[in-house]
Amino acid sequence: MSIESDLKKDGIKVIRPLDTLSINTISRNIAEKLCKTFPDQNFIFQNLFIALSRIPMYIAEIPDGFAEATYFYKNSSMYFKDGTSLDKLENFAMHEFIHYLQEIKDKKGHLLKLGLCDFGDLKICGMALNEGAVQLMASKANGSNEEIVKYYGISFPTTSPSYYPMLCNLVKQMSYITGESVLYDSTFYGSSSFKESLVSSCGLNNFLKIQNNLDKIMETEEKEIKFNNILMSDKCEGMKAQKIAKKIEAYKVKIRKLFFETQDLIYSSYFNNLYNKILTTADIDEYRLKLYNYKNFIGISDNYSNFNEFYIDKMMDLDNKYETIMNNTNLVTVNNSKISVFFKKLKAILSATVEFKS
């Protein structure tokens, strides 16, 4: 199949090459942002600018609902949506330029790996995970502020309100567990550190389930977008419109279910595993703070209470764990935390009351 046929399959029609001045401007600004935002990656500005400016770039017709910029791996070229201003092109291009930097090909030019995504002979693994990570990093490089958005009845924080917002939120939750630097390194260079950290923290089966759910969310969102475009067309009316509207609603329900299922699996597998590693009262304090701060990342809806219930259950478990540690001389006790002092005073009061009654 030719490149033109592949592009047409995705609804992309080339109009003209992007002018040299615009190419150099976009490449220079993006290279500067990447160097400034990710200093630990040791990018060299001049080398990065030259590499980015040599990418063939085109203005093209791109279907509504899809990204305003697309990097096509088969011919290592960039396509921008016609009618988009230069400053917006730069923002959209950030995501695609990161794709260019992270790709690993064999000698024949076949794509083997794209950051967190592996291109096997039979199956592609981690596509949505990689897309979410790349957009999270692109938003950071573009200086995007976090805001609360609402999609499919779910309110959640994201730095990418209009491009992979759900995936960005879930990947952000995962990076809270692993640390952002591990995510950045693995996304840029395809190292296994991020996945290994998640497997260690959440378990292999849980990680694979999370990765698979992210792919399902992305695939279902793409279907919903395509059917929305059909529904908005002039030729869609009557019974056909009703059937398509019904399908769209089913996709929305599926996405909502997948989001909460994935979110619940991320935090529950991590905090259940971490709970089993608690040995000291200092561990309890650290655990309590980590779980409390996690609420800043989650998505919520009117009928969602899973995280709150999990939080309360774990607080009760921590109280029991504290008593176990205090009564076990073989475990290390750290006494300098405010919470530890509170429990010691409470225990002393209760002990004094018992002695008085006896």
Side-chain angles (χ1 to χ4, degrees):
M1 186 179 291
S2 66
I3 296 298
E4 289 75 14
S5 297
D6 285 336
L7 290 171
K8 186 177 181 180
K9 185 179 178 182
D10 292 336
I12 299 173
K13 182 180 179 181
V14 177
I15 297 176
R16 65 181 182 278
L18 186 64
D19 64 276
T20 303
L21 178 59
S22 295
I23 289 175
N24 289 338
T25 300
I26 291 173
S27 300
R28 182 181 62 255
N29 292 341
I30 287 182
E32 288 177 349
K33 289 180 180 180
L34 288 175
C35 290
K36 181 179 179 180
T37 307
F38 305 105
D40 292 342
Q41 303 306 319
N42 298 315
F43 290 127
I44 299 174
F45 169 76
Q46 192 62 27
N47 294 346
L48 192 56
F49 165 69
I50 292 174
L52 298 180
S53 63
R54 288 178 177 174
I55 301 174
M57 303 183 198
Y58 301 91
I59 298 297
E61 293 180 5
I62 298 178
D64 292 336
F66 289 85
E68 278 76 359
T70 298
Y71 177 68
F72 203 64
Y73 314 114
K74 292 185 177 181
N75 63 349
S76 299
S77 298
M78 193 85 66
Y79 299 90
F80 297 109
K81 188 172 184 177
D82 186 32
T84 307
S85 62
L86 185 61
D87 58 333
K88 289 185 177 180
L89 283 184
E90 185 179 312
N91 282 339
F92 293 125
M94 181 65 74
H95 182 105
E96 305 306 320
F97 276 125
I98 293 176
H99 275 326
Y100 166 78
L101 294 172
Q102 65 176 183
E103 67 177 5
I104 299 175
K105 296 180 177 179
D106 62 18
K107 294 180 179 179
K108 294 182 179 180
H110 298 141
L111 191 61
L112 300 176
K113 196 173 182 64
L114 196 67
L116 302 172
C117 179
D118 295 308
F119 288 77
D121 294 332
L122 301 176
K123 186 179 180 180
I124 299 175
C125 297
M127 176 65 81
L129 174 59
N130 188 65
E131 289 294 338
V134 168
Q135 183 54 30
L136 196 63
M137 293 163 61
S139 296
K140 183 178 180 67
N142 284 327
S144 302
N145 295 321
E146 186 175 89
E147 57 184 280
I148 303 298
V149 298
K150 189 171 185 178
Y151 287 99
Y152 310 108
I154 306 172
S155 298
F156 55 90
T158 182
T159 53
S160 180
S162 58
Y163 196 37
Y164 292 136
M166 280 188 152
L167 293 182
C168 286
N169 173 270
L170 291 170
V171 174
K172 182 71 173 180
Q173 293 188 40
M174 296 160 77
S175 71
Y176 178 73
I177 295 172
T178 65
E180 290 184 341
S181 60
V182 177
L183 173 66
Y184 300 157
D185 183 72
S186 292
T187 304
F188 271 123
Y189 303 113
S191 73
S192 59
S193 301
F194 180 72
K195 292 183 179 181
E196 288 175 355
S197 179
L198 280 173
V199 169
S200 176
S201 300
C202 303
L204 177 59
N205 290 336
N206 290 326
F207 167 73
L208 294 176
K209 178 68 174 177
I210 291 166
Q211 180 177 255
N212 187 49
N213 277 4
L214 293 179
D215 285 333
K216 289 180 179 179
I217 289 173
M218 186 171 73
E219 291 167 3
T220 308
E221 282 192 307
E222 289 175 350
K223 291 178 181 178
E224 192 241 339
I225 290 172
K226 288 180 180 179
F227 275 94
N228 259 320
N229 287 340
I230 295 174
L231 185 63
M232 297 301 292
S233 66
D234 296 333
K235 296 181 181 180
C236 186
E237 55 187 18
M239 290 298 295
K240 182 180 179 181
Q242 292 180 25
K243 289 181 180 179
I244 290 178
K246 189 175 181 179
K247 282 187 177 182
I248 291 173
E249 184 56 35
Y251 288 142
K252 290 180 178 180
V253 171
K254 182 178 180 180
I255 292 169
R256 188 159 51 242
K257 181 180 178 182
L258 282 168
F259 178 89
F260 282 126
E261 178 183 305
T262 307
Q263 174 174 274
D264 291 345
L265 186 55
I266 293 172
Y267 70 73
S268 64
S269 60
Y270 170 61
F271 283 107
N272 283 334
N273 183 42
L274 187 61
Y275 178 82
N276 294 328
K277 297 178 180 179
I278 292 176
L279 296 176
T280 71
T281 55
D283 293 340
I284 290 178
D285 294 339
E286 184 179 354
Y287 182 102
R288 196 187 304 272
L289 183 61
K290 283 184 177 179
L291 182 56
Y292 177 79
N293 287 335
Y294 200 89
K295 67 180 175 56
N296 298 319
F297 299 90
I298 66 169
I300 59 174
S301 66
D302 292 338
N303 57 352
Y304 176 78
S305 61
N306 293 13
F307 180 78
N308 287 341
E309 292 171 4
F310 181 86
Y311 180 87
I312 293 171
D313 288 342
K314 276 293 172 279
M315 289 300 106
M316 295 173 64
D317 289 341
L318 289 176
D319 289 347
N320 295 330
K321 176 76 77 171
Y322 181 88
E323 291 300 324
T324 300
I325 292 174
M326 293 296 291
N327 293 322
N328 188 346
T329 56
N330 293 323
L331 294 176
V332 180
T333 304
V334 179
N335 302 317
N336 59 353
S337 74
K338 291 182 179 179
I339 294 177
S340 297
V341 172
F342 168 77
F343 276 110
K344 290 184 71 175
K345 287 183 178 179
L346 180 60
K347 186 173 183 180
I349 292 172
L350 293 174
S351 298
T353 303
V354 171
E355 289 176 3
F356 178 78
K357 287 183 178 181
S358 61

